[in-house]
Each structure stands twice: as structure tokens, then as C-alpha cells.
Amino acid sequence: MGNNIMAIYGEVPELVEKKSNELTHSFLNEDKDDFNYVKYNLYETDMSTVIEEALTMPFISEKKVIVVKNSFKFTGEKVNKEFTPKIEKVLES
């Protein structure tokens, strides 16, 4: 398993989305579908779900892309959610 973690940050959502799509297409070397592409929003999803997805092998595809939007853990933004993401699990893998 490779160590392919990329962070894209920007103030213009359209440019962030465009760069994300470019990186996804170049990494997968094929069109994205339900088997090789998953997108999460950390305002709506717990980090443990993202970690579990990252530890799961791709299905009917050689590679898998997991996009995590609103990654407040990396920006220091305070959110009104009552959970503590366990970022240590990601670092251990």
C-alpha cells in the first residue's frame, strides 16, 4: 500500500474541486465510479468512517480515491460537532 495522501486547500471552492478532479483522474487512470471513488464531508461524517474506508481495499478496481471535504482538523477551525476525530489512526497506517 502506498502513502498517497494529498491536501488541497483554497479559498475558491471551484478551483479546489477542479484540482481535486484532476488529481483523481491522474491517479486512477480511468473514470471515477462507485467502486473507486468515495467523497465525505467532515461536517456530516465522523472521521472514524473515513479511516475505516481508507483501511478497506478497493473493490473491482486497482486503486481507490477518498476525498474528504471540510477537513477542519487540519485547518484548526472550530466546529459545533460533539466528536473528537482520532487522527492518530491515520498516522499509524
Side-chain angles (χ1 to χ4, degrees):
M1 181 185 299
N3 295 321
N4 296 314
I5 297 175
M6 296 181 190
I8 304 169
Y9 177 80
E11 297 294 324
V12 182
E14 294 81 12
L15 294 177
V16 171
E17 187 72 24
K18 180 181 177 188
K19 187 62 176 179
S20 174
N21 288 335
E22 288 173 5
L23 289 171
T24 298
H25 185 70
S26 101
F27 178 75
L28 291 175
N29 295 322
E30 60 185 85
D31 291 333
K32 59 186 178 183
D33 59 31
D34 291 341
F35 299 113
N36 64 10
Y37 180 82
V38 183
K39 190 174 193 177
Y40 292 106
N41 182 342
L42 280 190
Y43 290 154
E44 302 166 356
T45 305
D46 189 56
M47 186 67 165
S48 63
T49 304
V50 176
I51 294 168
E52 185 176 323
E53 184 71 45
L55 296 174
T56 304
M57 297 297 291
F59 181 68
I60 310 179
S61 182
E62 287 185 36
K63 299 176 181 178
K64 175 170 61 173
V65 172
I66 303 168
V67 174
V68 182
K69 295 184 76 172
N70 298 316
S71 302
F72 58 87
K73 184 67 176 174
F74 304 113
T75 63
E77 176 185 349
K78 303 294 182 207
V79 294
N80 295 333
K81 212 163 184 193
E82 295 296 324
F83 73 88
T84 306
K86 294 179 177 51
I87 199 71
E88 295 80 26
K89 269 187 133 174
V90 173
L91 298 175
E92 288 175 7
S93 300

